Amino acid sequence: SQTIHQWPATLVQPVGSPLSLECTVEGTSNPNLYWYRQAAGRGLQLLFYSVGIGQISSEVPQNLSASRPQDRQFILSSKKLLLSDSGFYLCAWSQMVSVVGSKLFFGSGTQLSVL
Amino acid sequence: SQQGEEDPQALSIQEGENATMNCSYKTSINNLQWYRQNSGRGLVHLILIRSNEREKHSGRLRVTLDTSKKSSSLLITASRAADTASYFCVYGSARQLTFGSGTQLTVLP
């Protein structure tokens, strides 16, 4: 069966420090991979989307970046965090075959607090 | 992308009662999904209804879709305290998925 791992669960970082959040998927190959951010009490905002190794689409301009060094690994990074980067970050995957109507499978999320 | 609207924003009911949440959307869709999120956790897929379907059931869940009104509803019957969570409707293609603002459901024991 497929599983998705996301870590860390919580992170407190000072302004200006770097960031690296990691997400890995098991039990499937060629997944679509996503990074979302969720503000408190709100829906999700898509940050990055990947259809394959090295293929990253950015949906929202910001000081964050994403990389996909391996088929089932997705990393969210920043060189210098801003206060506004605080939030709940979620990694997700879906089947490659059909993006329309595909279910999303979410990781457990990372609560990032930038102080 | 524009956020879908969910109504109500918060709902508090007694265990055993039914809970109904509504979602309105602004674009044409191929399907609409409902997800559940426990506090501080990831979202879990509940049910998907295609645009040519009007109603779908899964256990205690019943979803309806009215494409003429661009609206969907999620009904949870015989609610339990464990149903306490936020519920989101989601629609669109993979790169333009729109998430509703969510309904926070509290089921009191």
Side-chain angles (χ1 to χ4, degrees), chain A residues 38 42 59 101 103-104, chain B residues 3 31 35 37 45 48 95:
Chain A
Q38 184 179 29
R42 302 281 292 172
E59 298 299 315
K103 296 190 295 187
L104 286 173
Chain B
Q3 194 167 41
N31 64 80
Y35 287 78
Q37 183 181 31
H45 182 269
L48 181 153
R95 293 192 62 173

Side-chain angles (χ1 to χ4, degrees), chain A residues 32 34 36 38 41-44 46 49 57 59 88 90 94 99-109, chain B residues 3 30-31 33 35 37 40-45 48 50 88 90 92-97 99-102:
Chain A
N32 287 326
Y34 312 82
Y36 285 92
Q38 184 179 29
R42 302 281 292 172
L44 275 63
L46 179 63
Y49 167 75
S57 295
E59 298 299 315
F88 191 55
L90 287 158
S94 68
V99 297
V100 176
S102 291
K103 296 190 295 187
L104 286 173
F105 299 90
F106 285 86
S108 54
Chain B
Q3 194 167 41
N30 292 316
N31 64 80
Q33 305 180 53
Y35 287 78
Q37 183 181 31
R41 304 288 294 175
L43 280 72
V44 175
H45 182 269
L48 181 153
R50 300 195 185 283
F88 295 89
V90 183
S93 63
R95 293 192 62 173
Q96 294 189 13
L97 276 177
F99 285 77
S101 50

Side-chain angles (χ1 to χ4, degrees), chain A residues 30-35 46-59 66-71 73-75 92-96 99, chain B residues 94-95:
Chain A
N30 277 339
N32 287 326
L33 294 172
Y34 312 82
W35 278 110
L46 179 63
L47 301 176
F48 298 97
Y49 167 75
S50 173
V51 298
I53 295 174
Q55 300 179 62
I56 311 293
S57 295
S58 175
E59 298 299 315
S67 61
R68 185 170 177 173
Q70 300 180 45
D71 180 46
Q73 184 184 26
F74 206 23
I75 298 171
W93 72 273
S94 68
Q95 295 288 352
M96 261 313 250
V99 297
Chain B
R95 293 192 62 173

